[in-house]
Amino acid sequence: MRCDDLDDVIEALAEGDTLSAEYHAHVAGCSRCQARLAMARAVDRLLATREAPVPPAAFTFRVMERVGRAEWRAEQLVDVGFNVAVAAGIALVVAGVVGLAWSLGWLTVERPTLEAVGAAIEPWVSSTLARGPTVVLAALLLTSALGLWWWVEGEASL
Amino acid sequence: MAQEMTSTSEHELVARCREGDEQAFRELVERYKGLVFALVARSIADRARAEEVAQDVFLKVHRGLPYFRGEARLSTWIYRIVVNVLAAERRPMKTEPLEGSGDGPPREFGVADRAFEDLALRNRMEKAIARLPVHYQVLINGHYLKGLRYEDLAEALDLPMGTVKTHLHRAKRQLRHLLETEFR
Ligand SMILES: [Zn+2]
């Protein structure tokens, strides 16, 4: 029996398990394995007497605080999403009504009028497209501000 | 403590938490904070970071409660989250440079200066534990933690009950090897 064969059972020996007599016989005559066994026993002893770290007094408070903040953020997100959905819904309904009225012939717009409207909004459209990112950002800010305002109104009325 | 909790009260607590009962969740944190914090702080030496990570565990518990179906015990589920959070914490970290090397014969222990040796060895052991794979780390840290149930530990680590002892021996062997070589 070689020392390497014993390496796998040192931990079991350290815990006091009874193994086949060969193992015990080898350890009795081998200082290297005795040292390993001593190390394994020391590790066991130290692990068993290791202090358990205790959480600080304010631990629960701080967890609840973070949970509250996370919930607030989640609600905010839901509210913004809800507002955007409502706005998109309204826009769809309006577009649908206008389209229906148009196709049923209830709504007639003279070609010159359309052209006049086109000419009137053309400069605005092209300048808006040029400043695209800024406008989108402003629109997003406005939407979230309105959403937040709407949410705060809702919370306050509870 | 966790083991004093009957399954019915655990069930009730989970149900109340899922209804959004803040007091119930506070109770859950109170029940598990000791074991969760001890498990985390035994793996992460920096106390401030350990507290943050232990808080993360409970935030994940809070977020996951609506999806917790109660197939596993609450405790098992929480320890599994601990294992995942510790594994994620470990990933971006660089491994510490090895302190010394070589694989000469193991150091001998005199009985006379055991107290001093213990102190020095404890220090080396903590460093060596930090270097173990997360599963071995949690197994060793959890096994010697009063109040942590054996079966919870086994389930959280996906180990069949009958193999826990074998795995614990392997974990301790790897720890001993580190102490005999890199952390001599
Ligand atoms: Zn030997």
Side-chain angles (χ1 to χ4, degrees), chain A residues 6-15 17 31-71 73, chain B residues 22-23 25-26 29-30 33-34 36-38 41-43 47 51-52 54-56 58-59 62 103-109 114 118 121-122 124-126 129 140-141 144-146 165 168-169 172-173 175-177 179-180:
Chain A
L6 240 85
D7 196 51
D8 288 347
V9 298
I10 291 284
E11 274 62 40
L13 285 171
E15 284 177 12
D17 289 1
S31 63
R32 184 182 158 97
C33 286
Q34 279 167 21
R36 284 169 158 176
L37 190 57
M39 174 63 95
R41 283 189 180 131
V43 164
D44 262 351
R45 194 178 61 247
L46 293 185
L47 285 175
T49 55
R50 221 168 152 215
E51 239 172 76
V54 179
F59 184 82
T60 306
F61 173 78
R62 290 201 275 261
V63 168
M64 297 309 289
E65 215 177 34
R66 281 183 69 185
V67 163
R69 259 182 283 150
E71 274 185 335
R73 272 197 302 271
Chain B
E22 198 178 290
Q23 186 52 41
F25 187 70
R26 196 189 306 272
V29 176
E30 282 293 320
K33 68 175 181 181
V36 167
F37 185 80
R42 275 185 170 181
S43 290
R47 268 309 150 89
E51 190 191 343
E52 225 173 310
Q55 286 174 10
D56 289 347
F58 285 107
L59 250 75
H62 187 265
D103 43 351
R107 197 172 273 187
E108 303 276 346
F109 276 96
R114 180 185 262 190
D118 272 5
L121 182 61
R122 196 178 283 281
R124 286 158 54 212
M125 191 181 78
E126 295 294 339
I129 289 174
I140 282 186
N141 290 342
Y144 293 92
L145 207 53
K146 283 182 194 73
K165 195 177 175 183
L168 187 65
H169 281 177
K172 284 200 284 185
R173 193 186 315 144
L175 177 60
R176 175 168 57 81
H177 286 169
L179 288 167
E180 287 167 352

Side-chain angles (χ1 to χ4, degrees), chain B residues 64-76:
Chain B
L65 269 170
Y67 312 102
F68 176 66
R69 293 274 165 266
E71 282 143 9
R73 269 187 305 278
L74 178 65
S75 44
T76 308

Side-chain angles (χ1 to χ4, degrees), chain A residues 2-3 26 30 32-33:
Chain A
R2 295 175 310 129
C3 296
H26 174 95
C30 174
R32 184 182 158 97
C33 286

Side-chain angles (χ1 to χ4, degrees), chain B residues 108-177:
Chain B
E108 303 276 346
F109 276 96
V111 181
D113 47 5
R114 180 185 262 190
F116 179 76
E117 286 279 11
D118 272 5
L119 200 68
L121 182 61
R122 196 178 283 281
N123 205 316
R124 286 158 54 212
M125 191 181 78
E126 295 294 339
K127 284 182 186 151
I129 289 174
R131 283 282 297 279
L132 289 174
V134 169
H135 271 59
Y136 279 175
Q137 213 176 59
V138 172
L139 189 57
I140 282 186
N141 290 342
H143 181 75
Y144 293 92
L145 207 53
K146 283 182 194 73
L148 206 153
R149 282 184 299 199
Y150 208 62
E151 58 264 43
D152 281 345
L153 195 60
E155 270 179 49
L157 292 168
D158 287 322
L159 298 174
M161 274 294 278
T163 67
V164 174
K165 195 177 175 183
T166 316
H167 280 91
L168 187 65
H169 281 177
R170 280 187 205 152
K172 284 200 284 185
R173 193 186 315 144
Q174 196 163 331
L175 177 60
R176 175 168 57 81
H177 286 169

Side-chain angles (χ1 to χ4, degrees), chain A residues 3 7 11 18-19 21 26-27 30 39 42 53 67 75 77-78 84 89 98 105 119 128-129 131 144 151:
Chain A
C3 296
D7 196 51
E11 274 62 40
T18 309
L19 304 173
H26 174 95
V27 172
C30 174
M39 174 63 95
V67 163
E75 277 171 22
L77 212 66
V78 167
V84 168
V98 168
T128 304
L129 285 178
R131 283 177 289 125
S144 41
W151 173 72

